[in-house]
Amino acid sequence: MTKSELIARLIELNPHLTPRDAERVVATVFGEIADALADGDRVELRGFGAFSVKKRDARVGRNPRTGETVQVGVKNAPYFKTGKELRERLNDGAE
């Protein structure tokens, strides 16, 4: 599902929302999650999952084209852990 499909679905389920309002809702939710992660906070949506930031230490990597070693600096990477309800819903009936 793309962002525009999410907005269309939101409008479909909430006919009182204008397309502009639905777009603002989606942009606000995603923006707040991104802002919280940028501040180093954790975002937990009960039943859905939790977004957090994991620190990746500096390491020595390789340039795949030349094979030469390259220093890769410290990075922060987004991490998502599914919630129990979502995990159960995804695996419902799975063998």
Side-chain angles (χ1 to χ4, degrees):
M1 177 178 278
T2 65
K3 187 175 175 181
S4 59
E5 291 171 337
L6 178 61
I7 292 167
R9 183 76 173 136
L10 189 60
I11 293 167
E12 182 183 315
L13 294 173
N14 299 280
H16 63 281
L17 284 177
T18 66
R20 177 174 274 161
D21 289 341
E23 190 173 341
R24 267 193 218 127
V25 168
V26 171
T28 300
V29 170
F30 289 155
E32 289 299 315
I33 291 171
D35 289 346
L37 292 175
D39 291 340
D41 295 333
R42 183 173 186 264
V43 178
E44 183 176 335
L45 304 171
R46 300 269 173 172
F48 183 73
F51 297 91
S52 60
V53 177
K54 295 244 179 178
K55 180 182 173 188
R56 289 187 166 167
D57 293 331
R59 61 185 173 83
V60 176
R62 284 203 183 279
N63 180 332
R65 202 173 276 155
T66 64
E68 124 185 34
T69 60
V70 179
Q71 289 295 329
V72 179
V74 174
K75 293 183 180 180
N76 290 320
Y79 177 76
F80 177 74
K81 181 178 179 185
T82 57
K84 181 181 176 184
E85 290 175 29
L86 177 59
R87 216 173 15 258
E88 288 173 354
R89 187 172 177 183
L90 294 175
N91 293 304
D92 189 33
E95 294 177 20

